[in-house]
Amino acid sequence: MCGIVGYIGTKQAYPILIKGLKRLEYRGYDSAGVALISNNRHLNVYKAKGKVSDLESFAAEKDISGTVGIAHTRWATHGEPSQANAHPHYSSSENLALIHNGIIENYAILKEKLQSKGYVFKSSTDTEVLVQLIDYIMVTNKLDLLSAVQLALQEVIGAYAIAVLEKNNPDQIIAARKSSSLVVGIGEEELFLASDATPIVEYTDKVVYLDDEEIAIIRRGEELKVVNFKNVEINPEIKEVKLNLGQLEKRGFSHFMLKEIFEQPDCIYDCMRGRINVDADNVVLSAVIDYKEKLLGARRFIIVACGTSWHAALIGKHLIESFCRIPVEVEYASEFRYRDPVIDEQDVVIAISQSGETTDTLAAIELARSRGAFIYGICNSVGSSIPRATHTGSYIHVGPEIGVASTKAFTGQVTVLAMLALTLAKEKQSLPREEFLEIVKELSHIPEKMKKVLELNHRIAGLSQIFTYAHNFIYLGRGYSYPVALEGALKLKEISYIHAEGYPAAEMKHGPIALIDAEMPVVVIATHNGLYKKVLSNIQEIKARQGRVIALVTEGDDVISSIADYCIELPATLECLDPLITTVPLQMLAYHIAVCKGKDVDQPRNLAKSVTVE
Ligand code: G6P
């Protein structure tokens, strides 16, 4: 959720920190702040409500000197977005400044204890409690910062990535993590710190991903040192990150979301590269081959995920059940983790996550692991927490997704799920060879077909203008298209703030039909597949009640085009791969409606891309 950046080295810290915050702004953007130890050894903290650009304006005339600093962009949990609640937080002595991503669950008890010792609080945050606690432990026990952090974190219940700066010790940053990601970048005579590698990659490709309950001692002119809470030294494993800077820029698009929609053909190609070999009529997901006994021996699969990833999971259920004849259940990770699910070592849990950091999905994995289940991860963010918590898995390889509303990650997840189902089906011989080959071949054509869908961008932009009046939308689909309807509705809600519901088309008559009148736009996914005729009847029912139908149809469909108000014609594909085609125009529709309504597409209100709180 919140974003953390830190720097110590020979350069001015402020510009590096601000640039880093901008890279991480997708994580939270209700307030931002920076703490710097200035050239004349003051610990300066500057904070502003709003975006990083508001912080820049606020700090414009201030002393921004110094070669060490920490910075934060916030997504509010405790306390409204305000300057007072923005991070960094000072300790009362103003000797320490701290930034935090996560939640301190026992903050109320700790706060009472500190108040009884005379500590005064200026904000409503849980974070201020932590910095005061560290200060209290330092002062009362006459400890150095590292020892105080180690003791304080043993008193804390919750999730955190933190970084602390000490006025009296301007040559170090102490950072620690538990359940929230933290990466240290290793440069020449400089060290960086960030919630993920995106702020670091333009300076160095060498990083260390901290593990839970590890503390990084980041000192000027010294090598990175990592210890645990008991001060046992841990050998940091230096990894190479392969992020290309262009992936982090808009490259001429007006928004990251639009750029990411347009990247999808290349992303899907990258996702399949080395995994699909059409000439050899083969699909290989290496993790599936490595663990085929475990996977094929499973009693059932349970897919856990949140948000858009949960919609991909619903498509995964269709794919795996129909290709492999293995029963699949799909669960919201947030519900699964707090039930007492019947699960054991005969089950395989597939966890899907773009960010690899979603707290609920991580907790669901931990629960399933503790009951003996085998865990397969499907993630985008390389080196994130979820891939490290699973037994094995597959990356979707679609590159960093910056727009808060997920687009290319969804189609990447569906592509990996299709490859997973195909690899298993081949091993299990559960699909007739002809059918298997047809699907593999068609999957390899999806990037080309997506490109054709993207050519509809202008037409969809025009169509969007008609619907900016709407306060509600209904999205309908059946079979493989039902999760697409859910995803289309979610995209619209997320970025345009128009209320939208996705329904299985046949369920319309059990309630939502009461909402239909001449004002109601109904988006129907009505491509040519097994349930086409049924969906056609649903469209007739909507038109009989004057609803305004926007239908996604297969090119050349002149039946629905004579009934629906607007038709978006899409290239034909196999029914099982249809979501990879039909999702794209719905992403564009949501995008253009939001743009027409003047909304902040890449940073919609109240949302965050990486949900590291419950
Ligand atoms: C947030 C994001 C969504 C995302 C969901 C799950 O709500 O805004 O776009 O689908 O989290 O995130 P994950 O990273 O686990 O896929």
Side-chain angles (χ1 to χ4, degrees), residues 322-323 422 430-440 574:
S322 78
F323 295 2
L422 285 167
S430 50
L431 262 185
R433 177 123 181 101
E434 285 309 303
E435 204 179 319
F436 174 85
L437 295 180
E438 192 190 4
I439 299 169
V440 173
L574 296 175

Side-chain angles (χ1 to χ4, degrees), residues 136-317:
Y136 170 71
I137 294 174
M138 260 179 104
V139 173
T140 49
N141 301 309
K142 298 197 173 49
L143 291 174
D144 63 8
L145 177 60
L146 171 65
S147 312
V149 167
Q150 284 166 325
L151 286 178
L153 293 181
Q154 292 179 57
E155 284 193 44
V156 155
I157 300 170
Y160 49 80
I162 58 163
V164 201
L165 207 53
E166 181 187 6
K167 182 178 163 187
N168 297 335
N169 194 349
D171 293 325
Q172 78 167 7
I173 300 170
I174 298 291
R177 74 154 267 176
K178 184 175 178 196
S179 307
S180 294
S181 57
L182 212 45
V183 187
V184 181
I186 299 172
E188 296 285 328
E189 293 182 68
E190 55 188 359
L191 290 163
F192 304 84
L193 178 72
S195 298
D196 64 40
T198 53
I200 297 174
V201 283
E202 57 196 283
Y203 310 104
T204 176
D205 60 358
K206 290 191 192 63
V207 297
V208 170
Y209 294 97
L210 291 185
D211 267 325
D212 273 355
E213 304 200 349
E214 287 184 355
I215 301 179
I217 305 159
I218 300 167
R219 288 199 178 125
R220 193 188 303 280
E222 290 183 19
E223 282 194 356
L224 169 69
K225 200 169 150 194
V226 179
V227 295
N228 66 14
F229 291 178
K230 304 273 183 243
N231 215 27
V232 176
E233 202 165 332
I234 291 150
N235 201 11
E237 191 188 341
I238 300 176
K239 296 207 165 144
E240 198 185 316
V241 265
K242 295 187 191 99
L243 270 184
N244 133 14
L245 268 187
Q247 293 175 314
L248 306 174
E249 311 287 349
K250 286 190 202 145
R251 289 209 212 137
F253 284 92
S254 36
H255 296 95
F256 279 109
M257 182 178 175
L258 190 63
K259 176 192 155 218
E260 287 158 6
I261 290 172
F262 270 81
E263 278 174 350
Q264 286 176 109
D266 289 342
C267 291
I268 300 310
Y269 181 78
D270 288 344
C271 178
M272 295 189 295
R273 197 203 311 263
R275 291 163 162 177
I276 284 203
N277 183 342
V278 180
D279 297 333
D281 302 329
N282 207 2
V283 181
V284 176
L285 269 193
S286 53
V288 173
I289 302 298
D290 294 347
Y291 292 91
K292 69 179 175 199
E293 268 100 55
K294 194 79 206 167
L295 296 169
L296 291 173
R299 173 178 56 181
R300 61 177 174 167
F301 287 0
I302 302 169
I303 314 185
V304 293
C306 303
T308 287
S309 300
W310 187 81
H311 296 156
L314 293 177
I315 296 168
K317 172 182 166 73

Side-chain angles (χ1 to χ4, degrees), residues 454-467:
L454 293 171
E455 288 169 12
L456 297 167
N457 189 41
H458 282 299
R459 161 145 164 64
I460 294 173
L463 191 60
S464 303
Q465 288 174 359
I466 304 169
F467 290 100

Side-chain angles (χ1 to χ4, degrees), residues 306-309 352-356 358 361 404-406 413 494 607-609 611:
C306 303
T308 287
S309 300
I352 307 180
S353 174
Q354 186 286 128
S355 63
T358 305
T361 309
V404 166
S406 185
Q413 289 163 347
E494 285 179 314
L607 299 183
K609 187 139 193 79
V611 181

Side-chain angles (χ1 to χ4, degrees), residues 101-133:
N101 170 28
I103 287 188
I104 307 300
E105 287 176 16
N106 57 340
Y107 81 102
I109 298 169
L110 294 171
K111 188 171 184 176
E112 255 174 51
K113 177 176 134 184
L114 290 161
Q115 279 167 329
S116 72
K117 310 276 179 207
Y119 276 82
V120 176
F121 289 82
K122 296 189 184 131
S123 78
S124 350
T125 64
D126 51 341
T127 303
E128 194 183 6
V129 175
L130 183 54
V131 70
Q132 301 278 41
L133 178 66

